[in-house]
Amino acid sequence: MKQFILTLWIGLLGTLSLVAQDTIVKGRIVDTNSSEPIPDVEISIQSSNFSTETSAEGTFGFTTSDLPQGEQVLLVVKPGYISQRIPIIIQNGKTINLDPILLEVDLTEVEAQIGVISLSDNELDQDDGTSFNISGLLQASRDVFLNAAAFDFSATFFRPRGLDNENGKVLINGIEMNKQYNGRPQWSNWGGLNDAQRNREFSMGLSPNDYTFGGIAGTTNIVMRASQYREGGRISYAMANRSYTGRVMGSYNSGLLNNGWAYSVLVSRRFGNEGYIDGTLYDANSIFAAVEKQLSDDHSLNFSGFYTPNRRGKSTAITQEMKDLKDRRYNPNWGYQDGDKRNSRVREIEEPVIMLNHYWNISDKTTLNTNLGYQFGKMGNTRIDNGGTRLINIDGEEAYIGGARNPLGNYYQRLPSYFLQDDDPTTADYRNAYLAEQEFINDGQLDWESLYRANAIVRAEGGNSIYAIQKDRTDDTQFTVNSILNTSFAENILFTGSINYRNLKSENFAELKDLLGGTGYLDVDFFAGEEAQNQQISVGDIAQSDLQNRNRIVKEGDRYKYNYDVNADVLTGFAQAQFKYNKVDFYTGAEVSSTNYQRNGLYENGNYPGSRSLGKSEKVSFTNFKVKGGATYKVTGRHLVDFNAGYLTKAPSIRNTFSNARQNNDVVIGLEDEKITSADLSYIFRSPIVKARLTGFYANIKDATDIGFYFTENLTGLGYDEGAFVQEVITGAEKRHLGAELGIEAQVTPTIKLKAAASVGQYIYNNNPNLYLTSDDFEGPLTFGDGTTNLKNYHIAGGPERAYQIGFEYRDPNFWWVGATTNYFSNAYIDVNNLARSANFSTDFDGQPYSNYDPEVAKDLLKQEEFGDYFLVNAVGGKSWKIDDYYVGFFAVINNILNQEYVTGGFEQGRKTTYTDLQEDQSRANGAIFGPRYFFGYGTSYYLNFYLRF
């Protein structure tokens, strides 16, 4: 018994001794102004693996004998607050109690976040084909290069690493928001919610992410959780001359209340009769609400929803001739009606999103986040339909008469070059060209009154509208559910796993939006007469949009022309492990997914009768996997080397799976998964004065697919000179992205910061991909020569490959600041026409090369146009005041101060694609009729924002 008691006593003393050796570092973080505790503040010991976050009560603590001893620095970081570096001395057995630690609101951070608003509506609402990769725009990183790319480079169509934003991921509350149709995020679905989107988590490239595998262009997660917003409200008003002229916004966040509830609300409106480009109306409202209940210390339930209906007038690319006669603001889509500007091409989006998020703290080391998301609504794009007809009967055969030519002011037959196309123009040609020139200069817009007048004439004769407004609708209903597990196996090992399921039903159809004064519209194909003659098919059958409803007269609001559904299911599993050590951190991750698409045709198209268009297509399925890994080697506390690499297979988007989904069930021939290899290597330097990152990057994308739609006059493969509206299908494309990026800033004085950034890359096609055409004008598919297009070594269009910046910021202690940057851009290229690089270019109708074919002339005709280089000077500044418990201030941006003219992008037209026709068109003395179309950058533009925070 004595021995047992002695042993117990010795053990107890040993335990007490061990406890006595533990070091305790604890504290509480509170807001300087409100004295309220601040949750989720990141607390770490510099140059160690020890980090934690404050609780809802603002408390934190480290209790272990493994803490680094002696003089250390405690880092206190919270977005929106001024970070603190607190010197402490750690000794085993001692307790350090830091209560309270006062954090002040970082007004410069507030100003910087408000600056994001000045970009979002200009860069984020772009149409397909002109999308920016702005994954780095909405991010919390202070990376110098990413800030340059977001705030200064983005206005030029610049894409970091040359990657389209379908290669990045955008999540809200852990739910992926990229559209399954094209793989891109639909930014306007949450436009105008800037104040509710300040909590962002960004992982660059394939670096570790706590929610998903991510994409090679980076991953952004926007946290819209009620309890994560700082208590208080904000009212702001902005004016600009970019996309809109005015924006008003108000928001309020309760913070986490004593009863465990939290709520957040926001309303905003953006408006403008037109933006920088003529006739581009802007009408957008936004509303957001979130409410969260902390059910217990371990469970919390958050409900959030947002609805951002928006309507905006669209512009288009224009030729050099149009720009010279008008200016870079010219937009042919609008005209005056009753004294007001009316745009014929309007984009409307109404897609509400609701989310339910459950947060479960299973233990101190393990959390489980389960999310439900539901998105529904509609998206539509209007345009003029000038194919209206009426039905007649000739000798028992159906025929259709009517139709009209393109009414837009920039139609090629209305431009001076059309009348001067001959080598030796006549006096009448010059007169007509002059009249066309004056008409275009003085007007050049859509004549709405003439459309109503034309319809009134045929209506009086008992006919149908020949002009109408067609609205191409997509009504998506998507359900998402996922569950994300994060757990620490040890202090230095973090595991992330998730499972995700998405189901989409997408209704696609044309809606008769406006009869323009008519009484009905005959739903048939006006061009079917030529098609029927070529294919020896009854015009009455081939002309029908739906053989189940022949010669249907449609009214406003009816569906017509095409009508089909697409159903998609995606199931994904993801796992990732991160390891942190004193000298090296490394990670590895993997993902596996199953994707299924199926089209269901609701119309039986006359060109594709039976099951080719009506009913369900074959189910298209893909099984994909992704792997990645990387490491960060800490040479010293200031010098780091970071490496990331991955290999991904990726299912084609819905857009690139069906070759002509509006008319038939055909799946792309030779469709394959994309295979992506990506790697980057960075050297990072961080000191109290200088921060810098130099990165070399490489990405190779194989077996890419792309589908284009256009009209061409040149199809020699048919054996005769015939034009057609075609679907151009590219498969097996390989793209190589190679380059380097640099960001560096130096805090040369407490108030002056110098910064510089650069990106140098080469983004080219690395092979000659396959090409074939389909069309309802001929039996397909149609190929040329060996079935490829010679794109190897052509540059991928997508903004400048080279961008450089130098700039400075001055921040006065009295909370006013100003900055300026000079930005230089070069090596941007036009988007080439693929058909002109195929054998269709050099082969005559008889299958033989053109007799006058000159390889040197051909080389010059097919040379890819490089746009000119240019400088843009931008300035930014602001001032903030604290008045009692209120913060007031303003923020201003002026872009392109020198009013430089520059081209941001463009494409070759596909109407002329053979050697003889292209040579003839490009050699015209008075300019090409079908020259390239360009997107021109804005001139001097401004953005001014006033705000009150309380």
Side-chain angles (χ1 to χ4, degrees):
M1 186 64 178
K2 292 181 179 179
Q3 186 176 359
F4 171 75
I5 293 174
L6 181 61
T7 303
L8 180 62
W9 180 249
I10 293 174
L12 179 61
L13 288 177
T15 301
L16 292 173
S17 176
L18 286 174
V19 170
Q21 295 301 311
D22 278 353
T23 301
I24 300 175
V25 178
K26 64 180 182 178
R28 185 169 62 98
I29 312 295
V30 298
D31 186 289
T32 300
N33 299 303
S34 67
S35 297
E36 293 293 326
I38 306 175
D40 302 313
V41 180
E42 183 179 345
I43 312 294
S44 61
I45 299 174
Q46 184 172 306
S47 301
S48 79
N49 294 322
F50 293 93
S51 64
T52 187
E53 290 187 349
T54 57
S55 66
E57 292 75 31
T59 60
F60 71 92
F62 299 101
T63 304
T64 176
S65 60
D66 296 332
L67 290 176
Q69 300 296 295
E71 295 183 356
Q72 304 294 332
V73 175
L74 192 72
L75 303 178
V76 182
V77 179
K78 170 77 173 180
Y81 288 87
I82 298 175
S83 300
Q84 290 200 33
R85 297 163 54 89
I86 303 174
I88 57 176
I89 298 176
I90 298 177
Q91 294 178 325
N92 273 340
K94 301 293 185 180
T95 297
I96 300 174
N97 187 10
L98 304 170
D99 185 2
I101 298 175
L102 303 178
L103 282 191
E104 292 187 16
V105 172
D106 186 356
L107 291 179
T108 61
E109 178 72 13
V110 172
E111 292 163 346
Q113 289 179 337
I114 290 174
V116 173
I117 302 171
S118 72
L119 297 162
S120 58
D121 294 300
N122 183 35
E123 275 73 35
L124 303 186
D125 287 341
Q126 298 298 318
D127 300 325
D128 293 343
T130 61
S131 299
F132 297 82
N133 175 29
I134 37 64
S135 293
L137 178 60
L138 297 176
Q139 46 88 22
S141 168
R142 295 179 179 271
D143 184 272
V144 184
F145 174 80
L146 289 179
N147 284 337
F151 285 89
D152 294 292
F153 295 172
S154 60
T156 69
F157 281 25
F158 174 82
R159 297 174 179 172
R161 304 185 183 183
L163 298 168
D164 189 271
N165 57 9
E166 66 179 312
N167 291 295
K169 296 292 185 183
V170 175
L171 291 75
I172 295 180
N173 288 348
I175 296 176
E176 182 176 340
M177 303 304 294
N178 294 55
K179 284 285 190 178
Q180 294 192 57
Y181 171 72
N182 58 13
R184 295 170 174 164
Q186 182 65 61
W187 289 99
S188 55
N189 279 343
W190 51 89
L193 302 180
N194 309 79
D195 285 353
Q197 296 182 330
R198 302 187 183 281
N199 299 328
R200 308 178 193 101
E201 301 160 317
F202 177 72
S203 58
M204 190 171 179
L206 292 177
S207 59
N209 186 275
D210 292 339
Y211 302 90
T212 184
F213 185 93
I216 60 174
T219 304
T220 299
N221 181 55
I222 304 171
V223 180
M224 299 176 72
R225 181 180 173 185
S227 66
Q228 299 303 297
Y229 295 112
R230 185 187 308 123
E231 179 185 355
R234 183 195 301 270
I235 299 173
S236 63
Y237 181 81
M239 59 185 71
N241 67 339
R242 299 177 182 178
S243 296
Y244 55 71
T245 56
R247 182 203 59 103
V248 60
M249 180 182 298
S251 63
Y252 182 77
N253 310 308
S254 70
L256 188 61
L257 303 175
N258 293 333
N259 60 5
W261 285 92
Y263 65 87
S264 177
V265 293
L266 179 150
V267 292
S268 75
R269 172 163 173 75
R270 294 159 293 159
F271 53 89
N273 291 327
E274 65 181 356
Y276 185 86
I277 303 298
D278 293 341
T280 52
L281 68 97
Y282 202 110
D283 182 15
N285 299 299
S286 303
I287 183 169
F288 162 75
V291 60
E292 183 172 352
K293 171 61 175 174
Q294 194 172 48
L295 304 173
S296 67
D297 290 341
D298 299 327
H299 293 272
S300 187
L301 200 62
N302 179 81
F303 174 84
S304 57
F306 47 90
Y307 177 47
T308 61
N310 56 91
R311 185 170 66 96
R312 62 182 302 175
K314 296 168 64 175
S315 59
T316 188
I318 58 177
T319 64
Q320 188 65 44
E321 178 185 16
M322 300 173 199
K323 188 262 182 185
D324 291 341
L325 293 175
K326 302 288 278 189
D327 60 32
R328 58 184 161 183
R329 299 189 184 205
Y330 174 64
N331 177 15
N333 294 334
W334 68 270
Y336 283 104
Q337 182 180 353
D338 298 329
D340 295 325
K341 289 182 177 180
R342 180 182 178 183
N343 196 313
S344 63
R345 298 181 71 87
V346 175
R347 190 180 197 190
E348 295 183 77
I349 299 178
E350 296 183 25
E351 294 190 311
V353 177
I354 56 176
M355 297 179 176
L356 184 64
N357 316 101
H358 176 250
Y359 302 91
W360 180 15
N361 297 321
I362 299 174
S363 69
D364 292 340
K365 296 183 178 180
T366 303
T367 63
L368 183 66
N369 172 208
T370 301
N371 307 297
L372 299 175
Y374 183 67
Q375 181 173 6
F376 58 98
K378 60 185 179 179
M379 179 173 65
N381 292 279
T382 64
R383 56 191 173 99
I384 292 178
D385 184 346
N386 58 308
T389 62
R390 61 191 175 100
L391 173 66
I392 62 172
N393 194 294
I394 303 176
D395 298 329
E397 292 290 332
E398 292 177 339
Y400 307 97
I401 61 173
R405 73 171 183 168
N406 190 326
L408 294 178
N410 70 332
Y411 183 49
Y412 76 96
Q413 294 182 13
R414 291 189 171 93
L415 295 172
S417 59
Y418 175 75
F419 298 98
L420 300 177
Q421 60 183 292
D422 296 333
D423 292 336
D424 188 17
T426 66
T427 302
D429 291 333
Y430 279 110
R431 181 177 64 252
N432 290 331
Y434 175 76
L435 292 174
E437 178 188 68
Q438 295 304 303
E439 169 66 20
F440 189 78
I441 291 174
N442 295 324
D443 187 3
Q445 302 303 145
L446 180 62
D447 186 354
W448 284 104
E449 297 302 327
S450 70
L451 306 188
Y452 280 89
R453 190 164 52 248
N455 281 347
I457 293 172
V458 296
R459 177 179 180 178
E461 298 174 352
N464 310 302
S465 290
I466 58 175
Y467 292 106
I469 299 296
Q470 173 181 333
K471 187 174 187 179
D472 296 305
R473 283 270 299 273
T474 300
D475 293 8
D476 283 352
T477 302
Q478 179 169 278
F479 173 75
T480 305
V481 57
N482 67 21
S483 197
I484 305 165
L485 177 73
N486 283 281
T487 185
S488 296
F489 291 133
E491 289 289 340
N492 62 328
I493 301 176
L494 175 64
F495 173 80
T496 301
S498 72
I499 186 167
N500 183 88
Y501 173 73
R502 291 200 291 170
N503 173 267
L504 169 71
K505 180 181 180 181
S506 179
E507 300 178 43
N508 299 266
F509 56 93
E511 175 190 354
L512 199 291
K513 179 69 174 177
D514 191 340
L515 284 167
L516 301 179
T519 58
Y521 192 94
L522 182 60
D523 185 18
V524 296
D525 183 359
F526 173 62
F527 300 101
E530 295 179 6
E531 301 164 14
Q533 184 178 4
N534 293 338
Q535 301 180 35
Q536 297 182 341
I537 300 174
S538 169
V539 66
D541 286 338
I542 198 171
Q544 302 300 323
S545 296
D546 183 12
L547 289 171
Q548 307 291 314
N549 293 278
R550 293 173 54 85
N551 300 320
R552 172 181 48 198
I553 302 296
V554 293
K555 305 292 185 179
E556 291 179 358
D558 289 345
R559 299 187 182 194
Y560 77 128
K561 285 202 170 182
Y562 65 91
N563 188 11
Y564 68 95
D565 297 339
V566 173
N567 296 290
D569 292 283
V570 180
L571 179 63
T572 304
F574 162 62
Q576 174 184 273
Q578 300 179 62
F579 305 85
K580 297 179 181 291
Y581 297 94
N582 288 333
K583 293 295 291 184
V584 63
D585 299 341
F586 65 93
Y587 72 94
T588 183
E591 179 183 280
V592 61
S593 63
S594 174
T595 303
N596 298 285
Y597 303 140
Q598 188 170 42
R599 178 189 185 272
N600 182 27
L602 304 177
Y603 284 177
E604 183 182 4
N605 188 276
N607 288 285
Y608 306 95
S611 61
R612 284 201 66 188
S613 60
L614 184 64
K616 294 183 178 180
S617 72
E618 64 175 286
K619 183 174 285 189
V620 187
S621 300
F622 307 92
T623 299
N624 301 102
F625 69 92
K626 303 176 182 179
V627 292
K628 67 177 181 178
T632 301
Y633 179 68
K634 308 164 193 175
V635 182
T636 66
R638 296 184 175 184
H639 302 270
L640 300 92
V641 177
D642 184 70
F643 175 74
N644 302 277
Y647 179 79
L648 301 71
T649 68
K650 179 180 173 184
S653 64
I654 295 173
R655 180 188 185 277
N656 291 329
T657 296
F658 300 97
S659 59
N660 184 12
R662 289 187 176 181
Q663 289 189 316
N664 60 54
N665 284 327
D666 292 352
V667 175
V668 166
I669 300 171
L671 185 66
E672 292 191 37
D673 302 311
E674 287 188 9
K675 288 86 174 174
I676 303 173
T677 304
S678 175
D680 62 65
L681 179 66
S682 299
Y683 165 69
I684 301 167
F685 175 77
R686 293 186 295 210
S687 74
I689 296 176
V690 177
K691 296 181 177 64
R693 176 175 64 84
L694 174 63
T695 299
F697 60 85
Y698 168 83
N700 185 268
I701 303 173
K702 290 184 177 181
D703 292 323
T705 302
D706 188 54
I707 302 177
F709 302 82
Y710 59 90
F711 180 81
T712 181
E713 293 183 4
N714 304 135
L715 293 176
T716 59
L718 292 175
Y720 53 87
D721 187 4
E722 190 63 65
F725 184 80
V726 300
Q727 297 83 51
E728 178 191 82
V729 183
I730 298 291
T731 61
E734 181 178 348
K735 306 172 186 179
R736 188 187 73 193
H737 299 249
L738 182 67
E741 54 195 25
L742 170 69
I744 184 170
E745 67 179 18
Q747 193 74 49
V748 293
T749 73
T751 57
I752 297 176
K753 179 190 294 183
L754 302 180
K755 58 183 181 179
S759 177
V760 178
Q762 184 189 64
Y763 318 128
I764 62 173
Y765 288 96
N766 210 31
N767 74 332
N768 295 325
N770 305 312
L771 179 150
Y772 73 88
L773 304 181
T774 65
S775 174
D776 57 16
D777 293 330
F778 56 80
E779 289 292 334
L782 183 64
T783 60
F784 308 92
D786 63 358
T788 65
T789 176
N790 298 311
L791 294 183
K792 187 171 184 179
N793 294 325
Y794 276 93
H795 293 262
I796 299 166
E801 294 182 344
R802 298 180 184 177
Y804 308 89
Q805 177 188 94
I806 57 172
F808 77 93
E809 290 181 10
Y810 173 79
R811 294 187 178 273
D812 192 89
N814 292 319
F815 295 110
W816 67 268
W817 64 286
V818 64
T821 61
T822 298
N823 307 272
Y824 173 74
F825 305 95
S826 68
N827 294 78
Y829 298 88
I830 200 166
D831 192 359
V832 299
N833 178 262
N834 304 316
L835 184 58
R837 273 78 185 173
S838 72
N840 184 69
F841 174 78
S842 58
T843 306
D844 207 343
F845 304 119
D846 58 4
Q848 301 298 317
Y850 289 103
S851 57
N852 63 339
Y853 188 84
D854 185 330
E856 291 302 316
V857 174
K859 182 179 179 180
D860 187 59
L861 290 173
L862 299 178
K863 182 179 180 181
Q864 188 173 21
E865 179 182 355
E866 180 180 350
F867 304 137
D869 53 356
Y870 51 94
F871 283 95
L872 296 180
V873 178
N874 304 327
V876 62
K879 169 67 176 167
S880 298
W881 296 268
K882 185 176 185 297
I883 303 174
D884 295 329
D885 292 332
Y886 297 90
Y887 296 90
V888 295
F890 72 89
F891 176 95
V893 179
I894 303 177
N895 283 341
N896 193 7
I897 294 174
L898 302 180
N899 199 29
Q900 295 291 300
E901 288 194 359
Y902 59 98
V903 176
T904 60
F907 57 90
E908 297 175 350
Q909 297 195 61
R911 195 162 188 133
K912 303 290 186 180
T913 57
T914 62
Y915 174 78
T916 54
D917 281 8
L918 198 58
Q919 183 185 27
E920 178 186 30
D921 195 47
Q922 290 193 11
S923 62
R924 298 185 197 279
N926 295 291
I929 298 177
F930 301 105
R933 289 178 174 264
Y934 302 106
F935 297 98
F936 292 92
Y938 290 172
T940 302
S941 64
Y942 70 89
Y943 175 87
L944 181 61
N945 178 275
F946 300 92
Y947 65 91
L948 166 67
R949 179 174 175 269
F950 56 92

